[in-house]
Amino acid sequence: MKTKTLFTTCLLLLVTMVLQAQELRTFLGANGKTGMRNPSGKIVIPAEYDIIMTPKSGYIVVKKGDKYGAYDLKGKLVIPIEYESLNTTSNPNQFWAKRNGKYSYVTTGGNEVTYASENVTAKQSAPSTVVQSNPTESEVNTQLPTSVEEGEEDYLKGVTAYKQEKYADAFQYWSKAAEFEHSDAMYGLAVLYDRGYHIQRNEGKALEWLKKAAAKNSVNAMFQLGDFYYKGIGGVQKNLNEAIVWYKKAAENGDVESMSILAYFYEAGEGIAKNPNQAIAWYKKAAEKNSTISMYRLAFMYGTGAGVPQNYKEAFHWLKKAAENGDVTSMGMLSQYYEDGLGVQKNDMEAFKWGKKAAENGNINEMTNLGNKYLVGKGTTKNTQEALKWYKQAASEGEPTALSNLALLYIDDRYGISKNLNEAFIWAKKGAEKNDVFSMGLLGDIYFKGLGVPVNNQQALYWFEKAANGGNIDAMMLAGYIHYDNQQYDKAYLHYKKAAEKGDAQAMYMVGLFIQNGWGTTASTEQAWSWVRKSAKAGYKLAKERVADYDNYQRKLAAEIEKIKAEDRQADAQRAAAQRVAKSNTSSWGGFTYTAETTSRAERAKRESEAKAEMQRFKQMLDMKHKSIK
């Protein structure tokens, strides 16, 4: 009775394993490798393998390169991928394997009994604890396949044919597998129709097969449908709502790329209500499945506080993961985080290390930053030649800051590089021709000062104007100066005004000077002093001196006027007293008093007038004192 119960249990287990095996489906990954999914679309075996055998006895043999291993039906790797051959035996938990020319029995529990040569049979040497059989290739393949297994076989043959560019064979095999509702075979047919491989391109047929495959839980098909509707390709009109439906289905079925795309839609509010929390949630799901772009987006959102509380520590966490995963942009940003101490203790050496990795992996901006670090010895030993090397490498890629830095290095010999004005001119011109505003301004300065070229104010003005139009404040100031020198006050005023509005303190002072004198604009003392005071407040030394002088004079003048007024009040009191005396004495006293008082008032009025005139002269003196701006 016990034997019957054991037999029944084993039979049930075997039936369960067969059913589970029949439910699994292989699929072709974007990398051209094969994996397996369950009916819900969840990945059981990652798409890393060249061949995946038909499941047998509860296990799946896989091949990567020239090595074999095995998974159980739940996706656990039970035999490592390190054997030259791997065959099942009559014991479902045991395989007959070959490694380094030697055969052995390997169990799914990790035990291994090795035999000395290929000629040794299991019956001769195997211990009693191991099932004594040496399976042959024919023994492994004696069981007739079910219809599902047959569809799987044809699908895999189609994959092989597709890789060999035998598209007619792939079409034949996948058509046969599709009859058994093999979802990835259906997807393969959609690809052939979409690309017109072997058959005439037919977007309608491609869409039809995609929908059939998606209905059978092909995640690739779900993703491709999302892509079709998002881009308006594949014979469908652009439909963002429909695209999101399919991307979401693919994401919910474990497709990592779809998770990232769905997260982006939530982050940007594209086709769906903006929801930073949902964006973070989906980015995290994708990042946990090793999506580098999702790691980077998480770092960006937390680092900038885009819809979520700014959290440099969290941003640093994801940025480091993305950088360690090989993302070059993240390496550069990680360098900046270490340099600025964002979410991590400030560390110039780590900043240098990650910046160097980024530069060595082609991050052009980090090539320039690496040059900067070598130039001043930040996080590394100062090395001018290394700085020059990295600047030149970045410059060869057209990086504008590197071009202007090279020009400056050859103009200024403070950093140990011999002055070479010809080289400076070449690099500045390259930068200017790439529309780099700093290089334009620098090239204008080279022409203006005659650095290695004849002085040429016309060329200088041309490049200053271009740089000024690009927002270069120094170029605005120098263009203004040349126009002033040419007595083109209206043009000069416009350049100074533009620079002043961008917050340049010296430009504010010049605007005040131009308005005071009516150069290129309407004269107004009140507006002029308003700009001079703005300049002083912004810290421009000359403006601060003028304002201090003017305010000091105003205080002195106010005191003088108050003194005169006090004397007037005293004279008025004396006159009133004299008039009272005149009523009781001779009138001659009144005339005298009147004459004396009148003379006194006339003198005081004269003094007040002279003081006010002096104030005007002083103002004019101040205004004219700095007329020359050379």
Side-chain angles (χ1 to χ4, degrees):
M1 187 69 180
K2 286 182 180 178
T3 303
K4 187 176 180 182
T5 303
L6 180 61
F7 174 77
T8 304
T9 304
C10 289
L11 181 61
L12 286 171
L13 286 170
L14 182 61
V15 170
T16 302
M17 286 190 295
V18 170
L19 290 172
Q20 287 176 333
Q22 288 179 354
E23 289 177 342
L24 296 177
R25 295 284 188 276
T26 55
F27 70 95
L28 186 65
N31 58 0
K33 301 293 184 181
T34 307
M36 285 196 112
R37 291 193 180 98
N38 64 20
S40 68
K42 182 180 178 181
I43 295 174
V44 176
I45 298 176
E48 298 175 359
Y49 301 99
D50 300 302
I51 295 175
I52 295 182
M53 308 293 187
T54 301
K56 186 174 178 65
S57 303
Y59 296 99
I60 306 161
V61 175
V62 298
K63 183 182 181 184
K64 181 189 283 188
D66 58 355
K67 301 295 182 184
Y68 292 84
Y71 282 85
D72 66 15
L73 298 179
K74 293 181 179 179
K76 180 182 178 182
L77 186 65
V78 292
I79 305 292
I81 318 296
E82 52 189 43
Y83 294 93
E84 295 152 28
S85 66
L86 192 67
N87 293 298
T88 57
T89 68
S90 56
N91 182 344
N93 297 318
Q94 180 176 276
F95 291 79
W96 179 247
K98 179 183 178 183
R99 179 165 60 178
N100 299 327
K102 297 180 181 180
Y103 283 92
S104 61
Y105 281 109
V106 182
T107 70
T108 56
N111 297 319
E112 182 173 346
V113 178
T114 305
Y115 295 87
S117 72
E118 296 183 11
N119 299 320
V120 174
T121 65
K123 289 182 179 179
Q124 291 172 326
S125 306
S128 57
T129 55
V130 179
V131 175
Q132 302 198 5
S133 69
N134 186 6
T136 63
E137 189 68 28
S138 60
E139 281 180 302
V140 174
N141 297 318
T142 51
Q143 184 180 356
L144 290 173
T146 65
S147 61
V148 173
E149 288 173 325
E150 188 175 352
E152 181 73 5
E153 244 177 73
D154 285 324
Y155 167 69
L156 290 174
K157 287 178 182 178
V159 170
T160 302
Y162 185 87
K163 289 180 180 178
Q164 295 171 350
E165 299 184 7
K166 296 177 180 178
Y167 302 124
D169 292 346
F171 181 81
Q172 181 182 350
Y173 286 126
W174 284 342
S175 295
K176 190 175 178 182
E179 292 175 4
F180 298 98
E181 297 188 334
H182 192 292
S183 62
D184 287 308
M186 294 175 181
Y187 175 73
L189 288 172
V191 171
L192 292 177
Y193 275 115
D194 181 60
R195 298 181 184 178
Y197 290 167
H198 165 62
I199 47 179
Q200 186 175 356
R201 189 166 187 264
N202 189 322
E203 291 180 337
K205 279 283 187 184
L207 187 64
E208 179 186 331
W209 280 112
L210 276 180
K211 287 184 175 180
K212 285 181 179 180
K216 292 294 178 181
N217 293 318
S218 167
V219 178
N220 280 339
M222 294 172 188
F223 171 81
Q224 197 64 56
L225 281 167
D227 223 35
F228 274 18
Y229 282 110
Y230 180 66
K231 296 174 182 175
I233 59 176
V236 299
Q237 294 294 318
K238 189 171 182 178
N239 187 327
L240 195 51
N241 291 332
E242 191 69 15
I244 290 171
V245 167
W246 287 110
Y247 282 136
K248 193 171 185 182
K249 282 186 178 182
E252 288 169 345
N253 278 279
D255 186 72
V256 178
E257 190 172 356
S258 296
M259 292 176 189
S260 296
I261 292 171
L262 187 60
Y264 166 75
F265 287 143
Y266 277 119
E267 181 189 355
E270 186 175 347
I272 197 169
K274 194 170 185 178
N275 191 328
N277 291 330
Q278 279 293 314
I280 290 286
W282 280 109
Y283 278 139
K284 280 187 176 179
K285 283 183 181 180
E288 285 161 3
K289 290 180 177 289
N290 211 34
S291 167
T292 304
I293 185 64
S294 295
M295 295 172 187
Y296 171 79
R297 292 308 305 169
L298 283 168
F300 176 83
M301 288 186 74
Y302 281 119
T304 59
V308 294
Q310 194 172 47
N311 188 331
Y312 286 126
K313 190 173 182 181
E314 190 73 10
F316 174 81
H317 167 77
W318 290 110
L319 201 57
K320 195 165 191 290
K321 279 184 172 289
E324 289 171 343
N325 237 22
D327 183 63
V328 179
T329 302
S330 297
M331 291 176 189
M333 286 183 65
L334 186 62
S335 172
Q336 197 65 51
Y337 268 54
Y338 272 118
E339 188 170 350
D340 297 338
L342 300 175
V344 66
Q345 187 174 355
K346 192 172 181 179
N347 190 323
D348 286 341
M349 292 183 71
E350 281 293 307
F352 173 80
K353 182 184 85 173
W354 283 105
K356 192 168 188 284
K357 280 187 179 182
E360 288 171 343
N361 281 280
N363 187 317
I364 299 170
N365 288 333
E366 286 307 310
M367 292 176 190
T368 301
N369 289 337
L370 189 60
N372 295 340
K373 288 178 171 65
Y374 273 121
L375 190 66
V376 298
K378 191 171 186 179
T380 185
T381 305
K382 187 176 179 180
N383 190 325
T384 305
Q385 291 305 314
E386 277 293 303
L388 196 62
K389 181 188 88 172
W390 283 106
Y391 283 147
K392 284 187 175 180
Q393 190 165 333
S396 69
E397 299 289 341
E399 206 285 305
T401 304
L403 291 166
S404 55
N405 281 2
L406 279 169
L408 286 170
L409 275 181
Y410 284 117
I411 290 172
D412 187 348
D413 56 4
R414 284 180 301 167
Y415 296 101
I417 295 173
S418 299
K419 183 180 286 190
N420 188 327
L421 297 179
N422 184 53
E423 281 287 308
F425 176 79
I426 290 169
W427 290 112
K429 195 167 189 294
K430 282 183 178 181
E433 289 170 348
K434 286 187 174 291
N435 294 320
D436 174 52
V437 293
F438 188 83
S439 296
M440 291 175 188
L442 188 57
L443 185 59
D445 207 42
I446 288 171
Y447 278 118
F448 185 63
K449 296 175 180 175
L451 300 175
V453 295
V455 171
N456 189 329
N457 279 357
Q458 187 177 353
Q459 276 293 308
L461 183 59
Y462 171 79
W463 288 109
F464 284 149
E465 295 258 335
K466 289 199 75 168
N469 290 336
N472 187 320
I473 293 176
D474 289 337
M476 294 173 195
M477 297 294 290
L478 289 164
Y481 172 78
I482 292 176
H483 282 305
Y484 168 83
D485 203 42
N486 292 336
Q487 296 185 356
Q488 296 171 319
Y489 298 129
D490 54 340
K491 292 181 179 180
Y493 172 74
L494 289 176
H495 279 297
Y496 287 131
K497 182 88 179 294
K498 192 174 179 181
E501 288 169 347
K502 285 183 173 291
D504 187 84
Q506 185 181 1
M508 294 173 188
Y509 176 81
M510 298 306 298
V511 168
L513 189 62
F514 270 59
I515 293 174
Q516 178 63 36
N517 289 279
W519 295 336
T521 185
T522 304
S524 169
T525 301
E526 183 180 351
Q527 287 185 31
W529 274 100
S530 173
W531 279 106
V532 171
R533 288 188 182 281
K534 283 181 183 178
S535 175
K537 190 174 180 181
Y540 186 53
K541 184 179 178 183
L542 191 56
K544 289 167 76 173
E545 289 174 358
R546 289 195 64 183
V547 169
D549 288 347
Y550 182 74
D551 288 348
N552 185 47
Y553 184 79
Q554 286 283 67
R555 283 191 294 272
K556 287 181 178 179
L557 183 62
E560 182 66 21
I561 290 173
E562 185 58 38
K563 181 180 178 182
I564 292 171
K565 287 180 178 178
E567 290 175 354
D568 281 345
R569 287 192 294 271
Q570 186 178 3
D572 287 342
Q574 289 176 350
R575 185 179 62 178
Q579 287 175 345
R580 286 194 297 273
V581 170
K583 289 180 181 179
S584 59
N585 297 308
T586 62
S587 60
S588 62
W589 279 102
F592 172 80
T593 304
Y594 178 77
T595 303
E597 189 277 335
T598 301
T599 304
S600 176
R601 284 184 63 84
E603 288 176 353
R604 285 193 291 273
K606 182 181 177 182
R607 285 172 55 194
E608 184 175 352
S609 176
E610 287 176 350
K612 288 180 179 178
E614 178 61 24
M615 179 189 74
Q616 291 299 322
R617 284 195 296 276
F618 184 74
K619 282 174 62 181
Q620 288 172 5
M621 179 189 72
L622 290 174
D623 293 336
M624 299 301 292
K625 182 178 178 182
H626 304 292
K627 273 189 178 180
S628 174
I629 57 173
K630 289 186 178 180

